[in-house]
Amino acid sequence: MKTEIYLVRHGETLFNRLNKVQGWCDTPLTIKGIDDLKKTADALSQIHFDNMYSSDLKRAIDTVHLMKDVNQVSNIGKIKKLPEFREVFYGSFEGGSIDDIWLGVSKAAGIPATTDVKKIIDTIGIYKFREVTKKADPLHLAESTEELETRMCRAIKVLRKETSGEGRVLLVSHGDFIKTLGIKYWKESDGLHDITFPDNGSVSRGILDEEGNFEIVDYNCKAEDL
């Protein structure tokens, strides 16, 4: 059977507020983040989910538990954590200023210096962007195109296995990972250029079929608009 996936971005965190690179680092949800998530949870409270999942990072785990606690029509047991859906890894850039990383990446790409990541991606394409980010990382630990693509494909395979027999599930993940999924699987993306970065607490809805084919049909939506 096909499975409907409600892909939720976690709530605002301290590093989000401070405009710092988060990646695999973890910081707590802010009061604003929790308040915004309550709006998402309320909008989804009457939607039945067969199960709920999250990335293994605490900001995602805290988010999924809030969704679970508010939902009135689902009987969800223990939340399973899927590390394949954690955020994109930024190596030694993690914890630093987001503006500084894009300045470094644009310089490594050989284009005019900019803090506008959309301009960088649209100029060199998403695949070269990942390679240049790894190159710009002083320790070259940031995820490359191949590393991220491999993890993303593995994530879909794991999700298909976990959700077999489930008609609708909720999964909490992260902004850049959801955006990368959107570039690859959203029907309105050309697969190369940048798309809107998903808002904290936003919902992107996908369909996962019996053969493991995945398509995002709604991207970066307010829950009440779905």
Side-chain angles (χ1 to χ4, degrees):
M1 66 184 295
K2 292 183 179 179
T3 304
E4 187 178 16
I5 313 293
Y6 277 59
L7 194 58
V8 177
R9 185 188 173 199
H10 63 78
E12 182 193 73
T13 66
L14 178 61
F15 269 16
N16 291 154
R17 177 68 64 87
L18 297 177
N19 198 40
K20 290 183 177 293
V21 182
Q22 198 155 211
W24 288 7
C25 292
D26 228 347
T27 61
L29 299 175
T30 62
I31 293 175
K32 179 182 184 303
I34 293 170
D35 287 344
D36 288 344
L37 283 176
K38 288 177 180 177
K39 297 175 184 177
T40 302
D42 286 342
L44 298 177
S45 64
Q46 298 301 316
I47 296 179
H48 177 267
F49 295 101
D50 294 308
N51 217 335
M52 293 186 182
Y53 302 88
S54 81
S55 129
D56 62 341
L57 296 178
K58 189 175 186 299
R59 59 191 185 271
I61 296 169
D62 289 346
T63 297
V64 78
H65 279 287
L66 196 154
M67 299 293 120
K68 174 185 174 181
D69 291 345
V70 173
N71 192 280
Q72 299 175 20
V73 294
S74 305
N75 183 20
I76 306 298
K78 185 176 180 180
I79 302 292
K80 183 153 189 179
K81 304 167 191 66
L82 305 179
E84 293 82 5
F85 283 89
R86 65 168 52 184
E87 183 59 293
V88 176
F89 183 49
Y90 278 93
S92 58
F93 287 128
E94 303 224 348
S97 162
I98 289 177
D99 287 346
D100 287 346
I101 179 179
W102 301 144
L103 285 171
V105 169
S106 58
K107 180 179 179 181
I111 64 175
T114 180
T115 60
D116 185 345
V117 67
K118 177 175 173 56
K119 184 179 292 185
I120 300 172
I121 295 174
D122 287 344
T123 300
I124 66 176
I126 187 64
Y127 300 107
K128 186 175 180 182
F129 168 77
R130 296 293 180 200
E131 296 306 309
V132 170
T133 302
K134 190 176 187 72
K135 176 183 176 182
D137 173 9
L139 297 180
H140 310 302
L141 295 174
E143 279 187 288
S144 67
T145 298
E146 182 179 359
E147 289 166 338
L148 186 55
E149 178 77 10
T150 298
R151 178 160 71 90
M152 193 163 57
C153 291
R154 185 171 69 249
I156 299 302
K157 289 181 180 178
V158 167
L159 190 62
R160 176 66 284 177
K161 180 179 178 181
E162 292 292 337
T163 62
S164 179
E166 297 175 347
R168 183 186 297 118
V169 303
L170 184 146
L171 168 61
V172 179
S173 187
H174 306 265
D176 202 9
F177 194 77
I178 293 173
K179 186 183 82 165
T180 306
L181 286 171
I183 291 173
K184 183 176 178 65
Y185 295 108
W186 186 30
K187 58 184 181 180
E188 295 187 26
S189 168
D190 66 6
L192 181 63
H193 295 94
D194 202 20
I195 60 176
T196 302
F197 200 87
D199 298 324
N200 290 111
S202 64
V203 182
S204 298
R205 191 171 62 91
I207 304 296
L208 184 57
D209 72 16
E210 298 88 341
E211 286 74 40
N213 301 306
F214 183 61
E215 180 184 24
I216 291 177
V217 295
D218 296 298
Y219 178 76
N220 189 34
C221 302
K222 293 182 178 180
E224 58 267 28
D225 293 335
L226 288 174

